[in-house]
Amino acid sequence: MTAVRLGPRAPRGLSGVLAGGMVALAIVVCLAQALASSSGRPGPGLPVVAGHVMAAVAAVGLQLVAERSQGRLAVLAAWSVVILAAAVLWFGWWA
């Protein structure tokens, strides 16, 4: 059996998908807040919305660094997106 080798672009691909997911999640949270506000219900709240938007902006920025640089900086930026996405999911949804 041959071991599967992931190329150097694998972390960037994973972080790109996660950055896109963070943007989609931020949009959903913003829409949930808007719909809740218009119907007079509490919704997720401004701190939650702001946190998701800031995390999405940071993830996209880190992804740009990962895509446009090479070497350790690219790998560090890509894994930072993974850690950021895990932190948002843990503290914002699971904890």
Side-chain angles (χ1 to χ4, degrees):
M1 180 175 220
T2 305
V4 175
R5 298 196 67 153
L6 298 176
R9 296 169 68 184
R12 283 187 278 178
L14 173 64
S15 65
V17 169
L18 289 174
M22 297 280 289
V23 170
L25 185 60
I27 291 170
V28 167
V29 171
C30 288
L31 288 174
Q33 180 63 41
L35 289 172
S37 295
S38 67
S39 66
R41 297 184 184 199
L46 187 59
V48 172
V49 173
H52 278 78
V53 169
M54 288 189 299
V57 169
V60 169
L62 287 167
Q63 182 61 27
L64 287 173
V65 171
E67 290 290 332
R68 294 180 180 176
S69 47
Q70 297 176 355
R72 290 184 177 171
L73 181 62
V75 172
L76 179 64
W79 284 110
S80 295
V81 173
V82 174
I83 291 169
L84 181 63
V88 166
L89 289 175
W90 178 258
F91 292 112
W93 292 89
W94 293 326

